[in-house]
Amino acid sequence: MALFALVLCLLLAAPSLGATGARDTTIAGQAYALLPIETLAAQLRQGSAPLRYRHTAFAGRLDARMAGITQVRAPLELEEVFFLDQLSFDGVVFRAPVQGTRLCFGRGLSLLGTRFEGDLTIEAGQWRGPFSANQAVFADRLRRVPA
């Protein structure tokens, strides 16, 4: 009986796949993992391990400064990533390379005073909504390859 109670408690305490796993969404006939933007924000705050996202859609508005992100040490590699809501990385320092292929910024992107100390490469990006990069500093190489 005690064993049954222990197993029942463990099952009730364990998170379900639905609570922790990514949901799926379809955009233009393609399936993408749908994640809350807080997932990305937490990883950007954490450390310097490379971050890679492919076929992902992030939902939610992100103001990096309000989320406690003042610098990003991790290299970023993004491929076919949709940001469904507005992003603001105003004043953030990116210390490692940022590479994006087929990105979509659905509601705008703000990089006011942002500093990129590593290479920044954006290939075939879509910009919807307002975009601002006033006073942004690109220390190494900026490369934008048209769609």
Side-chain angles (χ1 to χ4, degrees), residues 104-127:
C104 180
F105 298 95
R107 304 239 184 230
L109 174 65
S110 181
L111 301 171
L112 296 171
T114 301
R115 192 168 78 218
F116 293 91
E117 293 182 350
D119 290 349
L120 172 63
T121 303
I122 306 283
E123 296 181 35
Q126 294 180 12
W127 309 86

Side-chain angles (χ1 to χ4, degrees), residues 1 36 49 102 106 116 119 145 147:
M1 183 67 169
R102 293 181 303 279
F116 293 91
D119 290 349
V145 179

Side-chain angles (χ1 to χ4, degrees), residues 58-136:
F58 286 104
R61 186 178 183 277
L62 175 64
D63 183 324
R65 295 294 236 172
M66 295 296 288
I69 302 168
T70 57
Q71 63 180 323
V72 176
R73 295 182 185 277
L76 295 174
E77 185 181 322
L78 308 169
E79 183 180 332
E80 282 198 48
V81 174
F82 282 77
F83 295 98
L84 302 175
D85 298 293
Q86 187 177 18
L87 298 178
S88 171
F89 286 101
D90 295 349
V92 174
V93 178
F94 287 85
R95 300 205 180 274
V98 176
Q99 179 179 350
T101 305
R102 293 181 303 279
L103 304 181
C104 180
F105 298 95
R107 304 239 184 230
L109 174 65
S110 181
L111 301 171
L112 296 171
T114 301
R115 192 168 78 218
F116 293 91
E117 293 182 350
D119 290 349
L120 172 63
T121 303
I122 306 283
E123 296 181 35
Q126 294 180 12
W127 309 86
R128 300 177 185 156
F131 171 75
S132 180
N134 291 342
Q135 299 177 352

Side-chain angles (χ1 to χ4, degrees), residues 38-56:
E38 292 81 14
T39 302
L40 178 61
Q43 290 182 321
L44 293 175
R45 279 191 299 267
Q46 284 181 356
S48 58
L51 299 177
R52 291 181 183 90
Y53 283 99
R54 289 182 174 83
H55 303 281
T56 304

